[in-house]
Amino acid sequence: MPKKRILTASQAINEATIMAMKKDNSVYVIGEGVNDPKEIFGTTKNLKKIFTSKRVIETPISENAMTGLCIGSAMMGLKPIQIHQRVDFAILALEQIINNCAKAFFVSNSKHTVPMVIRMIIGRGWGQGPMHSQILDSLFAQIPGLKVIMPTFPKDFKGMILSAIKDRNPVVILEHRWLHNIKGDVPKKYYLNNINKIKKINNGHDLTIVANGYNLLEVIELKKILKDEKISFDLFDLNILQPLETNAIINSVKKTGRILVIDSGFKNLGIGSEIISRISETCMEKLKSKPLRIGLPFVPTPSSRFLAKSYYLNKKRILISILQVLNKKKIKNNLSKKIKSNIPIDVPDLSFKGPF
Amino acid sequence: MPKKRILTASQAINEATIMAMKKDNSVYVIGEGVNDPKEIFGTTKNLKKIFTSKRVIETPISENAMTGLCIGSAMMGLKPIQIHQRVDFAILALEQIINNCAKAFFVSNSKHTVPMVIRMIIGRGWGQGPMHSQILDSLFAQIPGLKVIMPTFPKDFKGMILSAIKDRNPVVILEHRWLHNIKGDVPKKYYLNNINKIKKINNGHDLTIVANGYNLLEVIELKKILKDEKISFDLFDLNILQPLETNAIINSVKKTGRILVIDSGFKNLGIGSEIISRISETCMEKLKSKPLRIGLPFVPTPSSRFLAKSYYLNKKRILISILQVLNKKKIKNNLSKKIKSNIPIDVPDLSFKGPF
Amino acid sequence: MISKKNTKKIYFDLLKIRTIEEIISERYKEQEMRCPIHLSIGQEAIAVGICHNLNNYDQIVSNHRCHAHYLAKGGDEKKMINEFYGNSDGCSGGRGGSMHLFDQKKGILSSVPIVSSSIPVGVGAGFSFKYNKKKNIAVIFIGDAAIEEGVFYESLNYAKIFSLPVLFVCENNLFSCFTNINERQPKNLIKKISKSFGMKTHFLNGNNAIQIANKSKKIIEEIRLKNEPQFILLDTYRVLEHCGPYEDDHLNYRNKKEIKYWKENCPLKKLEKILVSNKILSKSSLRNYRLSYKKKYNLIFEDCKKSKFLGTKLNNIKLYA
Amino acid sequence: MISKKNTKKIYFDLLKIRTIEEIISERYKEQEMRCPIHLSIGQEAIAVGICHNLNNYDQIVSNHRCHAHYLAKGGDEKKMINEFYGNSDGCSGGRGGSMHLFDQKKGILSSVPIVSSSIPVGVGAGFSFKYNKKKNIAVIFIGDAAIEEGVFYESLNYAKIFSLPVLFVCENNLFSCFTNINERQPKNLIKKISKSFGMKTHFLNGNNAIQIANKSKKIIEEIRLKNEPQFILLDTYRVLEHCGPYEDDHLNYRNKKEIKYWKENCPLKKLEKILVSNKILSKSSLRNYRLSYKKKYNLIFEDCKKSKFLGTKLNNIKLYA
Ligand SMILES: Cc1ncc(C[n+]2csc(CCOP(=O)(O)OP(=O)(O)O)c2C)c(N)n1
Ligand SMILES: Cc1ncc(C[n+]2csc(CCOP(=O)(O)OP(=O)(O)O)c2C)c(N)n1
Ligand SMILES: [Mg+2]
Ligand SMILES: [Mg+2]
């Protein structure tokens, strides 16, 4: 058995980028700050040194034209990896993304492809407020022609980014900032992860849970606690938002009869709404309890940690929702204690010293 | 009883605009083409003559700054009515819409308001293709802080636009191009229609239907045919997409036990997904059959009428869906004949001579 | 200097475009070309003159008014006409309609109806040439209103600071739909703007195809050689309505004198004069060409109109490559 | 010319801003101001000089680096500091954090962290003044990178063709985060661009508050009078890191000589020299002011830090007005 190789997610992203660039000369990296000393949270480390500024391109603050430039070059056969330090900056490029990027394949009668990757980082850190920590997952998932992925584990970051780069379609990668420092086993070799079909990552009996991003980690942390209570669940890592393949979820629900979907973004018109609707439309009769979605309330992200507390989901709120789906009215006191955390709401761990 | 006063929807819009501008000097109209001979499909007729170019403002082709300008002026107390001849052009202004327009009230701790109306016309006519006939209903409904309305009847166009202008929040009005020539009774007086809560517009027993825009007219046309078959339905005019108030729908479903939601836009992540999810989450046990959504397939709008045929919904497809929700497998032959139309897919009526 | 042979070629290109557009204008009322159309009648010299100096690997991008660009760059006319009729063998399979013309083999990368949207895409094509050390250029055709969209400036900036082989060609027909340029832009902005970005900027008569071909030849060579973007601004005029097949002079949004002036300066007439006075073609042969082109292309339209839609059904269209 | 009294006022404004920012810088590591901060240390003269000539009804808009603009325009300092601490009596109730400062009563219309996003909003404020025939102006503070966003140009265009009372104030500190202006823009674009739009354009030393106040007085009066936008470009320098409380000179993205030059040209030192040499204030009184300001504002920080969050819970926040 090969030895484990522990990397952080940002190291995995960095490694994947280097591999792809070595393998294929047409891959280039472009974005505001890609050559900064901060190296986009470490993910662009050493790129310029290895590949020179010809292939690792710092740009003016002009997101829309930058995106169009990437699209044009991709239609001509290059493979841009565009990076937005905040997903929010991609809002300025929506015209190019919605029109040229997503529609070129369709409107060219399948002649043009736009093999382009857009990494967008979701800024959760010290209270960055309503214009620097949006999620926008279902906004992008609503644009036909884009693939939209949202990896959680370092291993997946590597494999999915490599797949995204290889894919002939535009792929949006939503990276939750707090996942960059998560550690995990990452194989050394070049490998591709599926970016067309989500996977079940845990097997159980009592309910089906669908989650992604940072929430997914919290669900996993609940696993042990729930096991002590003899509760087990099917868990889907919703790391592919588009194409949204829900057959496996539906099959799972047919078995468990209970479903909780946890949205990283707004609950309103979130991916969860689509999943619950599909379940209701296909196998409503198998449900033993009402389906449940949780997600962000329908207001902009507040900056203050005092407000962030009731804005973001946390283990406790997830646990309550699980029990609700299971028709167990109250959390047992000891459960509630077990999940108590001494980590403030606005940091992923105690080593985090802000601001981003 | 007052005599009926028949106007087209575009006349109703025009009348509402003139009334609002006469009533309140701070109301102004701005957009590309507002003073064109084409008068934005007749809706801006005479405005410049009455109110001069000070208040009816032709602009350069710069949607994003135009929107910001409107926002700034609205924060200062003016009341802009901004017009996009195509909803698609608003995509260039999404940064201003998502950030300053929708978030100013929140981020200013409720001190600033942005009392602004944005009329966006959905371009269905002769095959305008993927960048000139998007719907984008659920995109706008996904932005917290906006109100989003979509009137169907001339009477509502007038009353809802007047309410939108009076409202202290930014209101997006989605106007389906094919509704502009629809005629109906429009009271002469100044009146306000609710833009916070949708209304039931038909009472029945067998199922609940939720629809809006052009589809709503098609549902209404089916009413008589279905009546002959002793089928009656509760019908909701989903002319308010945000705030999305679904209690009345849920109560109706509790009664009928069956629900069909017809989306004007994509079925994927459409408003229907939110409605069906809410129903499933609250009163699943009352459903006698699986809920059903229909809407546009998840591909860009094709131009060719040969493709448009299978893209857009029509009476027949709506009828099939109704029967499906009622668990009636087949359309009876005579029903199918009754709804046969001799109008081509790409015109609203035979007087339409293109191109828009 | 353009040779006699090339002068003739330019004439045939121009005549072809004019003929096809006139037939569209005539046949549009048959209501079988069911998509918006933006005719280039009066403005064709620019497309023809510039594209004369391009090869198949050079790329162009265009906008809503793309017929002339498409044809001048060598786009397949039958595929274009089929696209107007919504047929499956249209250049975009009926998906796009008249505002989405492209031909991959001929270097027609993209035409899109969102004003200015294709500009950065063209810059991206230029980027790919430099990246791959190709000696090709990308030409970006825009109207005078395109410079009102922010992305235009962002794109100038990229083209300049990345030193890309890009030629901006701005066709100033004074109008954006019904609105005069004076209502939309500060005086002379359009003349000054590319210079502010440090680009070589040229002003040409947009209705003289030969002159355009001549002058742009040098410009294009220089771009190929130096990987530096340049900008050409050309004055011209649209003869028919903004969108649709008819004249709309009765609407009085344009000055009668102005219209008269520009009609007299018709690029086709101008070119014919040159051909005759330089004894390249005789008046009668010109007449014959006009007639034979008309006949030939009318047949093609007839063909396309009759052809059935045979394409993939929408349900089978793939969203992903 | 600025009077002695006003010179003193300018000094007190500058000192206040510098003091508050230095305290932020010191206290940031306490980890109680938990939001990104962009300090203006080294650049304050611009805010102070310009705002000196504005009244409460004039409006300003700002960006991520908004502390100095907010304070110079008269924004409530306690509300600002509370905002940094995330408190409910912060100027945006803790909802926005440091990049969303505003004060309605003082004409601070908006500050937003999306580069250039507030520019058209400022133009809209100018529009409202003209519409209502008010003799006020809107001032739009931007950094050098803001001119890379398309919306900047669109906004220049609107301000000009609508003849709006708008003053653009561009603080060129040579950097956008870590990237030098030479990597981002063609040479001198920033100097030429507003002229292309036909705007009166002025170049000033951004570190000389008195000069800025003097020169902008006339400019602002002219704008009030004529309803014509103007543009001021000022050179200046940010002393600390782009975002955060520390120096970052060890990262070597900026030239050592350049840093030295600008530190020597510190706007506060410059102003103190003027005060002393013109015998407006003595050296020792300057020292006393420095100390007393420090003390005073440290107390306010201490207060704010201790104050509890007493605001509406998120669940009760209204989405609509
Ligand atoms: C972003 C956007 N806004 C508005 C329109 C509507 N529109 C279509 S063509 C046009 C005029 C464009 O004028 P110009 O660029 O000068 O080209 P011309 O039509 O004169 O050839 C406008 C405003 C559009 N297509 N896209
Ligand atoms: C649209 C957008 N893109 C990128 C960023 C990230 N960003 C924040 S500040 C900044 C630099 C802005 O530089 P400048 O305008 O010169 O202001 P300065 O920081 O120098 O005061 C950047 C790129 C952003 N906030 N918004
Ligand atoms: Mg034009
Ligand atoms: Mg700067």
Side-chain angles (χ1 to χ4, degrees), chain D residues 64 117 151 162 168 192 236-237 239 242 249 290 317 319:
Chain D
H64 56 288
S117 176
V151 75
F162 289 179
F168 293 87
K192 290 187 277 183
T236 186
Y237 212 67
V239 168
H242 166 70
D249 299 341
R290 281 215 180 205
I317 282 180
L319 186 56

Side-chain angles (χ1 to χ4, degrees), chain C residues 148-151 153-154 157 160-162 182-189 192-193 195-198, chain D residues 148-151 153-154 157 160-162 182-189 192-193 195-198:
Chain C
E148 291 152 24
E149 292 287 1
V151 75
Y153 301 87
E154 298 183 1
N157 195 27
K160 179 65 190 175
I161 61 169
F162 288 180
N182 295 326
E183 273 190 70
R184 298 179 280 115
Q185 298 171 16
K187 217 174 151 207
N188 291 329
L189 171 66
K192 292 187 277 185
I193 195 64
K195 284 189 207 162
S196 306
F197 283 82
Chain D
E148 292 152 23
E149 293 287 1
V151 75
Y153 300 87
E154 298 183 1
N157 196 26
K160 180 64 190 175
I161 61 168
F162 289 179
N182 295 326
E183 272 189 71
R184 299 179 279 115
Q185 299 170 17
K187 216 174 153 207
N188 291 330
L189 172 65
K192 290 187 277 183
I193 196 62
K195 285 189 207 164
S196 305
F197 282 81

Side-chain angles (χ1 to χ4, degrees), chain B residues 22 29 64 92 103 131 151-152 155 172 187 191 201 203-204 206 241 278-279 289 303 323 332-334 337 346 354:
Chain B
K22 284 196 171 152
V29 168
N64 203 27
L92 287 89
K103 298 191 190 9
M131 300 183 191
T152 294
K155 192 191 277 190
V172 166
Y191 60 93
I201 61 169
N203 280 299
D206 303 309
L241 308 184
R278 290 191 193 176
I279 291 171
S289 69
S303 170
L323 297 174
K332 294 179 200 158
N333 238 331
N334 58 334
K337 254 179 226 154
D346 60 348

Side-chain angles (χ1 to χ4, degrees), chain B residues 75-95:
Chain B
M75 287 164 82
M76 295 298 294
L78 298 185
K79 294 188 177 157
I81 304 175
Q82 185 191 18
I83 308 177
H84 293 293
Q85 292 215 39
R86 294 277 171 284
V87 63
D88 312 72
F89 306 157
I91 295 176
L92 287 89
L94 280 173
E95 193 278 308

